[in-house]
Amino acid sequence: MTIPIGSGHGLTNIEGHTEFDIVWPWNQPGGLRRGATAVLRVKNEAPGLRFVLPPLLRACDHVLLVDNGSDDGTGEEALRVAAEHGLSDRFTLKEYPFQVARAGAEHLAVNERSVHSLAYFYNWCFSHVRTRYSWKWDGDMVLTTEGEVSMADLSWQVGMAEAVIRFPRHGLYVESDRKAYLDLGLRNIEEWGFPMSPDYVYTKAPEWEIRTTPERIEMFALPQGLCVELKWLDGDEFAHWTNPESFATSIRNRRKRREWLVWNALHDGQVPEGVVEIESPEGVHVVDHVTHAWLPRAPRPFVVDDPDHARLHLRA
C-alpha cells in the first residue's frame, strides 16, 4: 500500500539542509485559518510585478512570493509595490536559494526529495501557507478588472470548500509600452485553486511537477477573459525549460507548442491566426489597457475553430 506523500509531519531533503525541511502547514500549531493565499514562485519577474501584484493583493487574503535567486531586484520590487498600494500587511516575501531544475529532461533527472527538484520546491513554497485555500499563481499572470472581482468573491467562498478551480488565461506578448499581441486562439484553462490538505501536494511528473488530488473532487471552471499571462518579447520566455525545441514534438504540452509557435512567428514579423494586435492610447501602458479596458469590453464568447491552428471569431 502506497503512503500518500502528504501524510506524516512533512518532508526532509536528501542534501540535509534541515532549515529547508518541509513541515506540512496543516500540522502547524493552530492549524489553518479561513481564507485564500496566492503563492508565486518567481525568478527575475521584476518588470511585471507592478501589474501582477496590486489586483492579486486586493483579491486574496494573503500573497506569498518566493524569490528563487533573482538578480533583477524582484524581491525589492515586490515589497515596493505592496507598500505603494498600502497592502504590505497582506504580503510575505521569502527566499529559496537553491537552483531548481528546469522543466523537461533536467527535472526528470533530479531526485524528487532534492532541494533542486520542482516538486520539492513547490511543496516548500506551499508549506508556508496559513489559510485553508491556496492559489497557484505565476509572477507574470495579471488579473483583469473582472478577474479581480471574481477571485475576490471566490477567495471568500472557497475558504472552507473542498473544490478545485480552473482559471483561464490568455498569453499577452508585449512588444513595447503601447503595443502587445493577445492570443485568444488557445483555450488554456488550468487548475489554479486548491484546498490545503494532505490530499493536495506536489509530486514528480515526467516533464514538470503535478499536484495530487483525490479521486473524487468538485471542480469549477471560470469564464475566459479574466487573466492574461505576460510574455515580454525582448526577454527569454522559455529559460525555465531544458529544451524548448521539444515543444514542437511533445504530445503532452499543447499549450507550450502554441506559445512556441506564436513567440517565433511574432519574432519573424508575422501575426498568427487567433492573435490580436493591440495598441493602447497615448499615456496608457498596454498591459493596463488590455486588462482594464480591452478585454472587459470584448464581446463573449471567444470562439475558436481549432486550438492548434486558431481562427478567432468575436461573437456578440
Side-chain angles (χ1 to χ4, degrees), residues 38 72 87 91 96 133 139 171 190 195 231 240 242 263 272:
D72 69 344
L87 295 168
F91 180 74
Y96 191 80
Y133 203 81
E190 297 181 35
K231 300 178 184 301
H240 59 294
T242 308
W263 177 270

Side-chain angles (χ1 to χ4, degrees), residues 40-71:
L40 293 78
R41 300 94 35 238
V42 300
K43 183 173 183 177
N44 293 335
E45 296 283 6
L49 293 180
R50 61 184 170 130
F51 306 111
V52 173
L53 286 178
L56 196 60
L57 285 162
R58 291 189 294 264
C60 298
D61 297 279
H62 205 80
V63 172
L64 166 66
L65 186 144
V66 180
D67 187 4
N68 182 215
S70 297
D71 56 17

Side-chain angles (χ1 to χ4, degrees), residues 46-230:
L49 293 180
R50 61 184 170 130
F51 306 111
V52 173
L53 286 178
L56 196 60
L57 285 162
R58 291 189 294 264
C60 298
D61 297 279
H62 205 80
V63 172
L64 166 66
L65 186 144
V66 180
D67 187 4
N68 182 215
S70 297
D71 56 17
D72 69 344
T74 288
E76 293 84 353
E77 173 67 358
L79 290 168
R80 184 196 69 78
V81 172
E84 179 183 313
H85 290 266
L87 295 168
S88 295
D89 59 324
R90 293 190 177 193
F91 180 74
T92 297
L93 172 66
K94 290 194 174 291
E95 304 278 345
Y96 191 80
F98 308 105
Q99 183 174 338
V100 177
R102 292 174 295 175
E106 197 172 291
H107 156 74
L108 189 60
V110 174
N111 189 296
E112 186 174 6
R113 296 295 180 90
S114 168
V115 293
H116 305 290
S117 160
L118 275 169
Y120 192 92
F121 173 48
Y122 274 59
N123 280 322
W124 185 87
C125 294
F126 280 84
S127 72
H128 295 88
V129 171
R130 294 296 176 263
T131 55
R132 294 175 183 167
Y133 203 81
S134 64
W135 295 102
K136 175 193 171 190
W137 208 252
D138 288 349
D140 55 8
M141 290 168 56
V142 183
L143 289 164
T144 66
T145 303
E146 296 171 296
E148 179 183 337
V149 173
S150 296
M151 180 179 262
D153 287 344
L154 283 167
S155 293
W156 174 77
Q157 294 178 50
V158 299
M160 297 285 289
E162 283 286 327
V164 172
I165 297 175
R166 302 176 70 204
F167 215 113
R169 69 189 192 274
H170 310 281
L172 183 65
Y173 298 77
V174 182
E175 179 179 301
S176 67
D177 286 356
R178 291 194 56 203
K179 182 184 283 189
Y181 301 86
L182 183 64
D183 186 8
L184 297 177
L186 173 67
R187 292 184 184 278
N188 180 34
I189 181 166
E190 297 181 35
E191 299 168 359
W192 291 102
F194 296 90
M196 291 296 299
S197 82
D199 290 325
Y200 303 90
V201 297
Y202 285 94
T203 189
K204 187 174 180 177
E207 292 184 316
W208 52 80
E209 80 298 329
I210 191 171
R211 204 158 187 171
T212 62
T213 56
E215 288 187 12
R216 294 185 178 183
I217 57 172
E218 283 192 276
M219 186 174 292
F220 302 97
L222 298 181
Q224 295 184 53
L226 303 185
C227 178
V228 299
E229 183 177 22
L230 302 180

